[in-house]
Amino acid sequence: MTTDTEHRKRALRAELRERRRNLTSSEQDHASAGLTENLQSVTLGLSARSVACYLSAPDEPNTRPYLAWAQSEGLRLLFPVSRDDGLLDWTVGEDGEELVGLFGMPEPSGELLSPLAINDVDLILVPAAAIGRDGMRMGWGKGYFDKTLGSMEKCPPVYAVVYDSELIDEVPRERHDQPVDGVVTPDRIIEF
Protein backbone atom coordinates (compact mmCIF):
# COMPACT_ATOMS: atom_id res chain seq x y z
CA MET A 1 0.00 0.00 0.00
CA THR A 2 1.36 3.40 -0.99
CA THR A 3 1.19 6.08 1.68
CA ASP A 4 0.38 9.76 1.26
CA THR A 5 4.03 10.56 2.06
CA GLU A 6 5.23 8.25 -0.74
CA HIS A 7 2.83 9.96 -3.18
CA ARG A 8 4.10 13.41 -2.14
CA LYS A 9 7.71 12.27 -2.52
CA ARG A 10 7.05 10.78 -5.95
CA ALA A 11 5.36 13.99 -7.17
CA LEU A 12 8.13 16.20 -5.80
CA ARG A 13 10.85 14.01 -7.34
CA ALA A 14 9.14 14.20 -10.75
CA GLU A 15 8.94 17.99 -10.51
CA LEU A 16 12.61 18.28 -9.46
CA ARG A 17 13.77 15.92 -12.25
CA GLU A 18 11.89 18.03 -14.79
CA ARG A 19 13.44 21.23 -13.42
CA ARG A 20 16.93 19.73 -13.68
CA ARG A 21 16.32 18.64 -17.27
CA ASN A 22 15.25 22.18 -18.20
CA LEU A 23 18.46 23.89 -17.02
CA THR A 24 20.32 25.55 -19.87
CA SER A 25 23.98 24.73 -20.46
CA SER A 26 25.00 28.22 -19.27
CA GLU A 27 22.96 27.72 -16.07
CA GLN A 28 24.69 24.36 -15.58
CA ASP A 29 28.14 25.90 -16.16
CA HIS A 30 27.43 28.72 -13.68
CA ALA A 31 26.15 26.19 -11.12
CA SER A 32 29.19 23.95 -11.63
CA ALA A 33 31.64 26.79 -10.95
CA GLY A 34 29.86 27.92 -7.78
CA LEU A 35 29.39 24.39 -6.53
CA THR A 36 33.06 23.52 -7.02
CA GLU A 37 34.13 26.60 -5.06
CA ASN A 38 31.71 25.84 -2.22
CA LEU A 39 32.67 22.16 -2.04
CA GLN A 40 36.32 23.20 -1.82
CA SER A 41 35.45 25.61 1.03
CA VAL A 42 33.66 22.89 3.00
CA THR A 43 36.52 20.44 2.47
CA LEU A 44 39.17 22.97 3.52
CA GLY A 45 37.05 24.23 6.43
CA LEU A 46 36.85 20.71 7.84
CA SER A 47 40.52 19.97 7.05
CA ALA A 48 39.22 16.81 5.36
CA ARG A 49 41.91 14.50 3.99
CA SER A 50 39.51 11.77 2.86
CA VAL A 51 36.11 12.30 1.26
CA ALA A 52 33.29 10.00 0.17
CA CYS A 53 31.66 11.52 -2.91
CA TYR A 54 29.68 10.25 -5.89
CA LEU A 55 30.25 10.71 -9.61
CA SER A 56 27.50 13.04 -10.78
CA ALA A 57 25.14 11.96 -13.55
CA PRO A 58 24.43 14.44 -16.38
CA ASP A 59 21.32 15.91 -14.71
CA GLU A 60 22.88 16.22 -11.24
CA PRO A 61 24.87 19.14 -9.86
CA ASN A 62 28.34 18.56 -11.31
CA THR A 63 30.76 17.08 -8.75
CA ARG A 64 33.44 16.26 -11.32
CA PRO A 65 35.43 19.54 -11.23
CA TYR A 66 35.51 19.25 -7.43
CA LEU A 67 36.70 15.64 -7.67
CA ALA A 68 39.49 16.69 -10.06
CA TRP A 69 40.53 19.39 -7.57
CA ALA A 70 40.41 16.94 -4.64
CA GLN A 71 42.61 14.47 -6.51
CA SER A 72 45.10 17.22 -7.41
CA GLU A 73 45.24 18.12 -3.69
CA GLY A 74 46.06 14.52 -2.76
CA LEU A 75 42.80 13.81 -0.95
CA ARG A 76 41.71 10.18 -0.64
CA LEU A 77 38.42 9.76 -2.48
CA LEU A 78 35.90 6.98 -1.93
CA PHE A 79 33.13 6.43 -4.46
CA PRO A 80 29.90 4.49 -3.87
CA VAL A 81 29.13 1.37 -5.86
CA SER A 82 25.52 0.13 -5.65
CA ARG A 83 24.81 -3.46 -4.68
CA ASP A 84 21.71 -5.55 -5.35
CA ASP A 85 21.04 -5.88 -1.61
CA GLY A 86 20.54 -2.12 -1.12
CA LEU A 87 23.95 -1.51 0.44
CA LEU A 88 26.89 0.44 -0.96
CA ASP A 89 30.34 -0.92 -1.56
CA TRP A 90 33.11 1.65 -2.00
CA THR A 91 36.08 2.02 -4.31
CA VAL A 92 38.92 4.49 -4.72
CA GLY A 93 38.39 4.13 -8.48
CA GLU A 94 42.04 3.33 -9.14
CA ASP A 95 41.25 1.87 -12.59
CA GLY A 96 40.37 5.35 -13.86
CA GLU A 97 37.43 3.91 -15.78
CA GLU A 98 33.76 4.63 -15.44
CA LEU A 99 30.98 2.06 -15.60
CA VAL A 100 27.21 2.32 -15.64
CA GLY A 101 26.03 0.96 -12.30
CA LEU A 102 22.64 -0.15 -11.09
CA PHE A 103 19.88 2.31 -11.98
CA GLY A 104 22.06 3.77 -14.76
CA MET A 105 24.27 5.83 -12.44
CA PRO A 106 27.95 6.40 -13.23
CA GLU A 107 30.33 4.50 -10.97
CA PRO A 108 34.12 4.25 -11.09
CA SER A 109 35.85 0.96 -11.68
CA GLY A 110 38.27 -0.32 -9.08
CA GLU A 111 38.74 -2.82 -6.28
CA LEU A 112 35.56 -3.10 -4.24
CA LEU A 113 35.90 -2.24 -0.58
CA SER A 114 33.24 -3.26 1.92
CA PRO A 115 30.35 -1.06 3.10
CA LEU A 116 32.49 -0.39 6.20
CA ALA A 117 35.16 1.48 4.20
CA ILE A 118 33.18 4.71 4.56
CA ASN A 119 33.79 4.69 8.31
CA ASP A 120 37.29 6.11 7.72
CA VAL A 121 36.41 9.32 5.85
CA ASP A 122 36.42 12.89 7.16
CA LEU A 123 33.52 14.14 5.00
CA ILE A 124 30.61 12.55 3.14
CA LEU A 125 29.03 14.28 0.14
CA VAL A 126 25.69 12.78 -0.89
CA PRO A 127 23.28 13.40 -3.75
CA ALA A 128 19.73 14.45 -2.96
CA ALA A 129 16.51 15.38 -4.69
CA ALA A 130 15.78 18.09 -2.11
CA ILE A 131 16.74 19.24 1.37
CA GLY A 132 14.36 20.74 3.90
CA ARG A 133 15.36 23.80 5.89
CA ASP A 134 15.54 21.53 8.95
CA GLY A 135 18.31 19.44 7.33
CA MET A 136 16.10 16.52 6.33
CA ARG A 137 17.26 14.91 3.10
CA MET A 138 14.97 13.47 0.47
CA GLY A 139 16.83 11.17 -1.89
CA TRP A 140 15.73 9.61 -5.16
CA GLY A 141 13.88 6.71 -3.56
CA LYS A 142 16.29 3.77 -3.50
CA GLY A 143 17.40 4.25 0.13
CA TYR A 144 21.11 3.52 -0.37
CA PHE A 145 22.43 6.58 1.42
CA ASP A 146 19.76 6.45 4.14
CA LYS A 147 20.84 2.86 4.96
CA THR A 148 24.51 3.80 4.89
CA LEU A 149 24.18 6.89 7.08
CA GLY A 150 21.71 5.20 9.44
CA SER A 151 24.11 2.32 10.08
CA MET A 152 27.22 4.36 10.86
CA GLU A 153 28.31 4.40 14.49
CA LYS A 154 30.45 7.51 14.27
CA CYS A 155 29.41 9.51 11.26
CA PRO A 156 31.61 12.35 9.97
CA PRO A 157 29.91 15.51 8.66
CA VAL A 158 27.46 14.76 5.84
CA TYR A 159 26.64 17.42 3.26
CA ALA A 160 24.03 17.06 0.54
CA VAL A 161 24.74 18.52 -2.90
CA VAL A 162 21.77 20.16 -4.63
CA TYR A 163 20.83 23.10 -6.82
CA ASP A 164 19.72 26.26 -4.97
CA SER A 165 16.04 25.75 -5.82
CA GLU A 166 16.15 22.29 -4.20
CA LEU A 167 16.60 23.71 -0.71
CA ILE A 168 12.93 23.92 0.24
CA ASP A 169 10.88 24.65 3.35
CA GLU A 170 10.04 21.03 4.08
CA VAL A 171 10.45 17.60 2.48
CA PRO A 172 8.05 14.69 2.99
CA ARG A 173 9.58 12.44 5.63
CA GLU A 174 9.44 8.73 6.42
CA ARG A 175 10.93 6.93 9.41
CA HIS A 176 14.02 5.66 7.54
CA ASP A 177 14.99 9.10 6.11
CA GLN A 178 18.26 10.52 7.40
CA PRO A 179 19.10 14.18 8.01
CA VAL A 180 22.33 15.81 6.84
CA ASP A 181 24.66 18.20 8.65
CA GLY A 182 24.73 20.70 5.84
CA VAL A 183 23.91 21.44 2.24
CA VAL A 184 26.14 22.74 -0.54
CA THR A 185 24.55 24.53 -3.48
CA PRO A 186 26.12 26.62 -6.25
CA ASP A 187 25.38 29.80 -4.25
CA ARG A 188 25.44 28.71 -0.60
CA ILE A 189 26.81 26.52 2.13
CA ILE A 190 24.33 25.99 4.94
CA GLU A 191 24.98 24.07 8.14
CA PHE A 192 22.10 22.68 10.18
Side-chain angles (χ1 to χ4, degrees):
M1 190 170 104
T2 310
T3 67
D4 178 54
T5 302
E6 289 170 315
H7 281 300
R8 290 187 5 243
K9 280 184 168 183
R10 195 171 299 137
L12 182 55
R13 285 185 186 114
E15 178 189 325
L16 295 167
R17 256 191 211 99
E18 187 63 26
R19 245 192 259 166
R20 284 184 175 189
R21 287 188 186 118
N22 289 329
L23 288 172
T24 66
S25 58
S26 69
E27 286 171 327
Q28 288 174 334
D29 290 346
H30 171 77
S32 181
L35 185 67
T36 301
E37 196 175 300
N38 287 339
L39 287 170
Q40 290 169 345
S41 291
V42 167
T43 305
L44 294 169
L46 292 169
S47 302
R49 298 304 307 149
S50 60
V51 179
C53 185
Y54 60 100
L55 286 177
S56 54
D59 64 346
E60 290 183 303
N62 190 358
T63 59
R64 291 162 189 272
Y66 164 77
L67 292 169
W69 169 82
Q71 268 181 322
S72 75
E73 293 293 307
L75 272 64
R76 180 173 187 261
L77 294 171
L78 269 189
F79 300 97
V81 177
S82 305
R83 296 180 4 172
D84 288 329
D85 62 3
L87 297 177
L88 292 171
D89 279 327
W90 299 89
T91 183
V92 295
E94 70 278 4
D95 295 353
E97 290 178 40
E98 216 173 278
L99 309 169
V100 176
L102 293 176
F103 315 110
M105 299 307 289
E107 295 178 350
S109 171
E111 179 187 345
L112 290 182
L113 309 171
S114 83
L116 298 177
I118 194 173
N119 288 322
D120 297 332
V121 299
D122 302 321
L123 169 64
I124 301 173
L125 299 172
V126 296
I131 301 294
R133 295 203 182 279
D134 60 354
M136 189 49 63
R137 173 187 173 271
M138 184 179 84
W140 292 105
K142 304 293 184 221
Y144 280 87
F145 285 99
D146 288 320
K147 282 184 193 119
T148 298
L149 300 175
S151 70
M152 294 181 74
E153 251 176 60
K154 190 174 146 281
C155 196
V158 178
Y159 283 76
V161 179
V162 295
Y163 288 109
D164 288 283
S165 63
E166 296 164 349
L167 177 61
I168 59 178
D169 288 338
E170 187 179 23
V171 297
R173 181 180 184 173
E174 293 175 279
R175 190 177 30 215
H176 63 268
D177 291 330
Q178 295 293 316
V180 292
D181 300 301
V183 62
V184 181
T185 75
D187 292 338
R188 302 180 275 189
I189 301 167
I190 297 173
E191 292 177 3
F192 300 112

mmCIF file with all atom_site columns, all heavy atoms in Angstrom, residues 155-169:
data_model
loop_
_atom_site.group_PDB
_atom_site.id
_atom_site.type_symbol
_atom_site.label_atom_id
_atom_site.label_alt_id
_atom_site.label_comp_id
_atom_site.label_asym_id
_atom_site.label_entity_id
_atom_site.label_seq_id
_atom_site.pdbx_PDB_ins_code
_atom_site.Cartn_x
_atom_site.Cartn_y
_atom_site.Cartn_z
_atom_site.occupancy
_atom_site.B_iso_or_equiv
_atom_site.pdbx_formal_charge
_atom_site.auth_seq_id
_atom_site.auth_comp_id
_atom_site.auth_asym_id
_atom_site.auth_atom_id
_atom_site.pdbx_PDB_model_num
ATOM 1   N N   . CYS A 1 155 ? 29.527 8.951  12.597  1.00 0.00 ? 155 CYS A N   1
ATOM 2   C CA  . CYS A 1 155 ? 29.410 9.509  11.259  1.00 0.00 ? 155 CYS A CA  1
ATOM 3   C C   . CYS A 1 155 ? 30.130 10.864 11.176  1.00 0.00 ? 155 CYS A C   1
ATOM 4   O O   . CYS A 1 155 ? 29.911 11.741 12.008  1.00 0.00 ? 155 CYS A O   1
ATOM 5   C CB  . CYS A 1 155 ? 27.933 9.673  10.918  1.00 0.00 ? 155 CYS A CB  1
ATOM 6   S SG  . CYS A 1 155 ? 27.619 9.915  9.179   1.00 0.00 ? 155 CYS A SG  1
ATOM 7   N N   . PRO A 1 156 ? 30.998 11.042 10.163  1.00 0.00 ? 156 PRO A N   1
ATOM 8   C CA  . PRO A 1 156 ? 31.612 12.355 9.966   1.00 0.00 ? 156 PRO A CA  1
ATOM 9   C C   . PRO A 1 156 ? 30.555 13.327 9.422   1.00 0.00 ? 156 PRO A C   1
ATOM 10  O O   . PRO A 1 156 ? 29.425 12.906 9.151   1.00 0.00 ? 156 PRO A O   1
ATOM 11  C CB  . PRO A 1 156 ? 32.684 12.072 8.910   1.00 0.00 ? 156 PRO A CB  1
ATOM 12  C CG  . PRO A 1 156 ? 32.131 10.933 8.127   1.00 0.00 ? 156 PRO A CG  1
ATOM 13  C CD  . PRO A 1 156 ? 31.381 10.093 9.118   1.00 0.00 ? 156 PRO A CD  1
ATOM 14  N N   . PRO A 1 157 ? 30.882 14.583 9.231   1.00 0.00 ? 157 PRO A N   1
ATOM 15  C CA  . PRO A 1 157 ? 29.910 15.512 8.662   1.00 0.00 ? 157 PRO A CA  1
ATOM 16  C C   . PRO A 1 157 ? 29.418 15.033 7.286   1.00 0.00 ? 157 PRO A C   1
ATOM 17  O O   . PRO A 1 157 ? 30.203 14.556 6.472   1.00 0.00 ? 157 PRO A O   1
ATOM 18  C CB  . PRO A 1 157 ? 30.695 16.822 8.536   1.00 0.00 ? 157 PRO A CB  1
ATOM 19  C CG  . PRO A 1 157 ? 31.779 16.716 9.555   1.00 0.00 ? 157 PRO A CG  1
ATOM 20  C CD  . PRO A 1 157 ? 32.139 15.259 9.599   1.00 0.00 ? 157 PRO A CD  1
ATOM 21  N N   . VAL A 1 158 ? 28.102 15.155 7.089   1.00 0.00 ? 158 VAL A N   1
ATOM 22  C CA  . VAL A 1 158 ? 27.461 14.758 5.840   1.00 0.00 ? 158 VAL A CA  1
ATOM 23  C C   . VAL A 1 158 ? 26.819 16.002 5.227   1.00 0.00 ? 158 VAL A C   1
ATOM 24  O O   . VAL A 1 158 ? 26.006 16.672 5.871   1.00 0.00 ? 158 VAL A O   1
ATOM 25  C CB  . VAL A 1 158 ? 26.364 13.696 6.078   1.00 0.00 ? 158 VAL A CB  1
ATOM 26  C CG1 . VAL A 1 158 ? 25.679 13.331 4.768   1.00 0.00 ? 158 VAL A CG1 1
ATOM 27  C CG2 . VAL A 1 158 ? 26.941 12.462 6.754   1.00 0.00 ? 158 VAL A CG2 1
ATOM 28  N N   . TYR A 1 159 ? 27.209 16.285 3.984   1.00 0.00 ? 159 TYR A N   1
ATOM 29  C CA  . TYR A 1 159 ? 26.635 17.423 3.256   1.00 0.00 ? 159 TYR A CA  1
ATOM 30  C C   . TYR A 1 159 ? 25.955 16.907 1.996   1.00 0.00 ? 159 TYR A C   1
ATOM 31  O O   . TYR A 1 159 ? 26.521 16.099 1.261   1.00 0.00 ? 159 TYR A O   1
ATOM 32  C CB  . TYR A 1 159 ? 27.718 18.421 2.859   1.00 0.00 ? 159 TYR A CB  1
ATOM 33  C CG  . TYR A 1 159 ? 28.187 19.297 3.995   1.00 0.00 ? 159 TYR A CG  1
ATOM 34  C CD1 . TYR A 1 159 ? 29.034 18.796 4.981   1.00 0.00 ? 159 TYR A CD1 1
ATOM 35  C CD2 . TYR A 1 159 ? 27.774 20.624 4.088   1.00 0.00 ? 159 TYR A CD2 1
ATOM 36  C CE1 . TYR A 1 159 ? 29.461 19.583 6.031   1.00 0.00 ? 159 TYR A CE1 1
ATOM 37  C CE2 . TYR A 1 159 ? 28.205 21.422 5.147   1.00 0.00 ? 159 TYR A CE2 1
ATOM 38  C CZ  . TYR A 1 159 ? 29.042 20.897 6.105   1.00 0.00 ? 159 TYR A CZ  1
ATOM 39  O OH  . TYR A 1 159 ? 29.459 21.680 7.151   1.00 0.00 ? 159 TYR A OH  1
ATOM 40  N N   . ALA A 1 160 ? 24.749 17.388 1.766   1.00 0.00 ? 160 ALA A N   1
ATOM 41  C CA  . ALA A 1 160 ? 24.034 17.057 0.537   1.00 0.00 ? 160 ALA A CA  1
ATOM 42  C C   . ALA A 1 160 ? 24.394 18.093 -0.522  1.00 0.00 ? 160 ALA A C   1
ATOM 43  O O   . ALA A 1 160 ? 24.662 19.259 -0.209  1.00 0.00 ? 160 ALA A O   1
ATOM 44  C CB  . ALA A 1 160 ? 22.531 17.062 0.776   1.00 0.00 ? 160 ALA A CB  1
ATOM 45  N N   . VAL A 1 161 ? 24.404 17.649 -1.776  1.00 0.00 ? 161 VAL A N   1
ATOM 46  C CA  . VAL A 1 161 ? 24.744 18.522 -2.904  1.00 0.00 ? 161 VAL A CA  1
ATOM 47  C C   . VAL A 1 161 ? 23.490 18.666 -3.767  1.00 0.00 ? 161 VAL A C   1
ATOM 48  O O   . VAL A 1 161 ? 22.993 17.684 -4.314  1.00 0.00 ? 161 VAL A O   1
ATOM 49  C CB  . VAL A 1 161 ? 25.905 17.906 -3.724  1.00 0.00 ? 161 VAL A CB  1
ATOM 50  C CG1 . VAL A 1 161 ? 26.242 18.781 -4.907  1.00 0.00 ? 161 VAL A CG1 1
ATOM 51  C CG2 . VAL A 1 161 ? 27.131 17.698 -2.832  1.00 0.00 ? 161 VAL A CG2 1
ATOM 52  N N   . VAL A 1 162 ? 22.975 19.891 -3.844  1.00 0.00 ? 162 VAL A N   1
ATOM 53  C CA  . VAL A 1 162 ? 21.767 20.161 -4.630  1.00 0.00 ? 162 VAL A CA  1
ATOM 54  C C   . VAL A 1 162 ? 21.879 21.521 -5.310  1.00 0.00 ? 162 VAL A C   1
ATOM 55  O O   . VAL A 1 162 ? 22.747 22.328 -4.980  1.00 0.00 ? 162 VAL A O   1
ATOM 56  C CB  . VAL A 1 162 ? 20.479 20.139 -3.758  1.00 0.00 ? 162 VAL A CB  1
ATOM 57  C CG1 . VAL A 1 162 ? 20.209 18.754 -3.188  1.00 0.00 ? 162 VAL A CG1 1
ATOM 58  C CG2 . VAL A 1 162 ? 20.535 21.177 -2.655  1.00 0.00 ? 162 VAL A CG2 1
ATOM 59  N N   . TYR A 1 163 ? 20.970 21.764 -6.244  1.00 0.00 ? 163 TYR A N   1
ATOM 60  C CA  . TYR A 1 163 ? 20.832 23.102 -6.819  1.00 0.00 ? 163 TYR A CA  1
ATOM 61  C C   . TYR A 1 163 ? 20.127 23.996 -5.794  1.00 0.00 ? 163 TYR A C   1
ATOM 62  O O   . TYR A 1 163 ? 19.422 23.521 -4.908  1.00 0.00 ? 163 TYR A O   1
ATOM 63  C CB  . TYR A 1 163 ? 20.022 23.059 -8.115  1.00 0.00 ? 163 TYR A CB  1
ATOM 64  C CG  . TYR A 1 163 ? 20.773 22.429 -9.269  1.00 0.00 ? 163 TYR A CG  1
ATOM 65  C CD1 . TYR A 1 163 ? 20.407 21.179 -9.758  1.00 0.00 ? 163 TYR A CD1 1
ATOM 66  C CD2 . TYR A 1 163 ? 21.846 23.084 -9.867  1.00 0.00 ? 163 TYR A CD2 1
ATOM 67  C CE1 . TYR A 1 163 ? 21.088 20.592 -10.809 1.00 0.00 ? 163 TYR A CE1 1
ATOM 68  C CE2 . TYR A 1 163 ? 22.542 22.508 -10.914 1.00 0.00 ? 163 TYR A CE2 1
ATOM 69  C CZ  . TYR A 1 163 ? 22.159 21.261 -11.388 1.00 0.00 ? 163 TYR A CZ  1
ATOM 70  O OH  . TYR A 1 163 ? 22.853 20.691 -12.427 1.00 0.00 ? 163 TYR A OH  1
ATOM 71  N N   . ASP A 1 164 ? 20.298 25.312 -5.933  1.00 0.00 ? 164 ASP A N   1
ATOM 72  C CA  . ASP A 1 164 ? 19.720 26.259 -4.967  1.00 0.00 ? 164 ASP A CA  1
ATOM 73  C C   . ASP A 1 164 ? 18.213 26.099 -4.797  1.00 0.00 ? 164 ASP A C   1
ATOM 74  O O   . ASP A 1 164 ? 17.701 26.168 -3.680  1.00 0.00 ? 164 ASP A O   1
ATOM 75  C CB  . ASP A 1 164 ? 20.064 27.695 -5.379  1.00 0.00 ? 164 ASP A CB  1
ATOM 76  C CG  . ASP A 1 164 ? 21.532 27.988 -5.150  1.00 0.00 ? 164 ASP A CG  1
ATOM 77  O OD1 . ASP A 1 164 ? 21.916 28.211 -3.989  1.00 0.00 ? 164 ASP A OD1 1
ATOM 78  O OD2 . ASP A 1 164 ? 22.303 27.961 -6.126  1.00 0.00 ? 164 ASP A OD2 1
ATOM 79  N N   . SER A 1 165 ? 17.501 25.858 -5.889  1.00 0.00 ? 165 SER A N   1
ATOM 80  C CA  . SER A 1 165 ? 16.036 25.752 -5.821  1.00 0.00 ? 165 SER A CA  1
ATOM 81  C C   . SER A 1 165 ? 15.568 24.475 -5.123  1.00 0.00 ? 165 SER A C   1
ATOM 82  O O   . SER A 1 165 ? 14.378 24.316 -4.839  1.00 0.00 ? 165 SER A O   1
ATOM 83  C CB  . SER A 1 165 ? 15.445 25.804 -7.234  1.00 0.00 ? 165 SER A CB  1
ATOM 84  O OG  . SER A 1 165 ? 15.893 24.683 -7.983  1.00 0.00 ? 165 SER A OG  1
ATOM 85  N N   . GLU A 1 166 ? 16.503 23.560 -4.832  1.00 0.00 ? 166 GLU A N   1
ATOM 86  C CA  . GLU A 1 166 ? 16.151 22.290 -4.197  1.00 0.00 ? 166 GLU A CA  1
ATOM 87  C C   . GLU A 1 166 ? 16.293 22.322 -2.671  1.00 0.00 ? 166 GLU A C   1
ATOM 88  O O   . GLU A 1 166 ? 16.069 21.319 -2.006  1.00 0.00 ? 166 GLU A O   1
ATOM 89  C CB  . GLU A 1 166 ? 16.983 21.163 -4.817  1.00 0.00 ? 166 GLU A CB  1
ATOM 90  C CG  . GLU A 1 166 ? 16.641 20.990 -6.287  1.00 0.00 ? 166 GLU A CG  1
ATOM 91  C CD  . GLU A 1 166 ? 17.638 20.187 -7.086  1.00 0.00 ? 166 GLU A CD  1
ATOM 92  O OE1 . GLU A 1 166 ? 18.741 19.899 -6.580  1.00 0.00 ? 166 GLU A OE1 1
ATOM 93  O OE2 . GLU A 1 166 ? 17.312 19.846 -8.231  1.00 0.00 ? 166 GLU A OE2 1
ATOM 94  N N   . LEU A 1 167 ? 16.667 23.484 -2.143  1.00 0.00 ? 167 LEU A N   1
ATOM 95  C CA  . LEU A 1 167 ? 16.605 23.714 -0.707  1.00 0.00 ? 167 LEU A CA  1
ATOM 96  C C   . LEU A 1 167 ? 15.230 24.316 -0.471  1.00 0.00 ? 167 LEU A C   1
ATOM 97  O O   . LEU A 1 167 ? 14.953 25.438 -0.879  1.00 0.00 ? 167 LEU A O   1
ATOM 98  C CB  . LEU A 1 167 ? 17.711 24.665 -0.254  1.00 0.00 ? 167 LEU A CB  1
ATOM 99  C CG  . LEU A 1 167 ? 17.706 25.027 1.222   1.00 0.00 ? 167 LEU A CG  1
ATOM 100 C CD1 . LEU A 1 167 ? 17.887 23.792 2.100   1.00 0.00 ? 167 LEU A CD1 1
ATOM 101 C CD2 . LEU A 1 167 ? 18.797 26.045 1.519   1.00 0.00 ? 167 LEU A CD2 1
ATOM 102 N N   . ILE A 1 168 ? 14.334 23.521 0.122   1.00 0.00 ? 168 ILE A N   1
ATOM 103 C CA  . ILE A 1 168 ? 12.933 23.924 0.236   1.00 0.00 ? 168 ILE A CA  1
ATOM 104 C C   . ILE A 1 168 ? 12.504 23.948 1.706   1.00 0.00 ? 168 ILE A C   1
ATOM 105 O O   . ILE A 1 168 ? 13.230 23.469 2.578   1.00 0.00 ? 168 ILE A O   1
ATOM 106 C CB  . ILE A 1 168 ? 12.021 22.997 -0.600  1.00 0.00 ? 168 ILE A CB  1
ATOM 107 C CG1 . ILE A 1 168 ? 12.137 21.541 -0.146  1.00 0.00 ? 168 ILE A CG1 1
ATOM 108 C CG2 . ILE A 1 168 ? 12.389 23.107 -2.092  1.00 0.00 ? 168 ILE A CG2 1
ATOM 109 C CD1 . ILE A 1 168 ? 11.233 20.572 -0.895  1.00 0.00 ? 168 ILE A CD1 1
ATOM 110 N N   . ASP A 1 169 ? 11.336 24.511 1.964   1.00 0.00 ? 169 ASP A N   1
ATOM 111 C CA  . ASP A 1 169 ? 10.880 24.650 3.353   1.00 0.00 ? 169 ASP A CA  1
ATOM 112 C C   . ASP A 1 169 ? 10.823 23.312 4.074   1.00 0.00 ? 169 ASP A C   1
ATOM 113 O O   . ASP A 1 169 ? 11.295 23.182 5.197   1.00 0.00 ? 169 ASP A O   1
ATOM 114 C CB  . ASP A 1 169 ? 9.513  25.337 3.402   1.00 0.00 ? 169 ASP A CB  1
ATOM 115 C CG  . ASP A 1 169 ? 9.628  26.817 3.058   1.00 0.00 ? 169 ASP A CG  1
ATOM 116 O OD1 . ASP A 1 169 ? 10.732 27.382 3.203   1.00 0.00 ? 169 ASP A OD1 1
ATOM 117 O OD2 . ASP A 1 169 ? 8.617  27.402 2.633   1.00 0.00 ? 169 ASP A OD2 1
#
